[in-house]
Amino acid sequence: MAFGKYKEVMALKAKDAKVTGVAQDGGVVTTVLCYALEQGIIDGALLAAKSETPWLPKPVVATTKEQIIAAAGTKYTISPNMSAIKSAAREYALDKIAIVGTPCQIYAARKMQLYPFGARHIADKIALTVGIFCTENFSYAGLKTVIEDHCKVPIESVRKMEIGKGKFSIKGAKDVAIPIKETHKYEQDGCHVCSDLTAE
Ligand SMILES: Cc1cc2nc3c(=O)[nH]c(=O)nc-3n(C[C@H](O)[C@H](O)[C@H](O)COP(=O)(O)OP(=O)(O)OC[C@H]3O[C@@H](n4cnc5c(N)ncnc54)[C@H](O)[C@@H]3O)c2cc1C
Ligand code: SF4
């Protein structure tokens, strides 16, 4: 796999049980954000939080460690985290904003920094970007179809979803894994021409 330009590659795992209990993988994203908040590197972060609808994320401005931990875990559908940036800068009056996003979202943040059209006094508040690896994403309707029609479980009974080793897997009331190729037709069209899988 092409990682793009990098200084160092490390595989890490968080130690805090509060983080490892809810994080998707090693909990590195959540731990880095909590550290950055504690150290004053950031004063808030744009994240994909849980909403009232099972597995439909909502972009949030998290300003406490508790809110950052509560937003951990991957939601395999679109969460337009960047849409919360104006609110973070203007309503929350944050000066040092972190953004967690898929590579296409980090691309949007970089474009905003480069050419802050309509984003004056906002783009300059971006203090940290954390790009998560991403090879595909689904519309919410597509995700629901994968879970309810292909995995044959109600979406509200799912505790965790994962993609890896050629499978789409869910854990919850029932553990199910289906071949990833069954899910391809539910991916966003744009993902099929995406050229940045690592937020390089
Ligand atoms: C749609 C999607 C596809 C992915 N595909 C791959 C892949 O093919 N291979 C791979 O190695 N990794 C993939 N990942 C990344 C992986 O799932 C983990 O996010 C990553 O390994 C970090 O793990 P962690 O335990 O450090 O994250 P955590 O500490 O659990 O933090 C995850 C962070 O991501 C944010 N987040 C969750 N869902 C979304 C979303 N939909 N949009 C934007 N932000 C979100 C959360 O708010 C949280 O801050 C994908 C992530 C997403 C969202
Ligand atoms: S595959 Fe590319 S376009 Fe699709 S969600 Fe991930 S980063 Fe965005």
Side-chain angles (χ1 to χ4, degrees), residues 1 19 22-31 33 46-49 57 68 71-81 100-102 105 132-138 163:
M1 180 183 215
V19 173
V22 291
Q24 183 69 20
D25 295 320
V28 171
V29 172
T30 298
T31 304
L33 293 173
L46 311 185
L47 307 175
I68 291 172
T74 297
K75 293 90 181 169
Y76 283 102
T77 187
I78 301 126
S79 177
N81 294 353
V100 173
T102 51
Q105 294 173 336
I132 48 184
F133 287 4
C134 180
T135 47
E136 69 277 298
N137 204 355
F138 305 98
I163 293 180

Side-chain angles (χ1 to χ4, degrees), residues 111-161:
K111 277 184 96 168
M112 187 184 266
Q113 284 175 308
L114 207 61
Y115 187 56
F117 181 73
R120 235 158 40 98
H121 310 305
I122 292 176
D124 58 340
K125 308 277 191 299
I126 299 173
L128 178 69
T129 56
V130 183
I132 48 184
F133 287 4
C134 180
T135 47
E136 69 277 298
N137 204 355
F138 305 98
S139 66
Y140 185 68
L143 181 69
K144 207 160 181 259
T145 306
V146 167
I147 292 169
E148 302 204 329
D149 294 358
H150 291 256
C151 300
K152 302 201 184 308
V153 295
I155 195 164
E156 58 275 13
S157 74
V158 177
R159 214 174 359 93
K160 189 166 185 180
M161 300 180 199

Side-chain angles (χ1 to χ4, degrees), residues 25-47:
D25 295 320
V28 171
V29 172
T30 298
T31 304
V32 165
L33 293 173
C34 290
Y35 175 81
L37 189 71
E38 269 164 22
Q39 297 297 313
I41 299 164
I42 61 169
D43 48 21
L46 311 185
L47 307 175

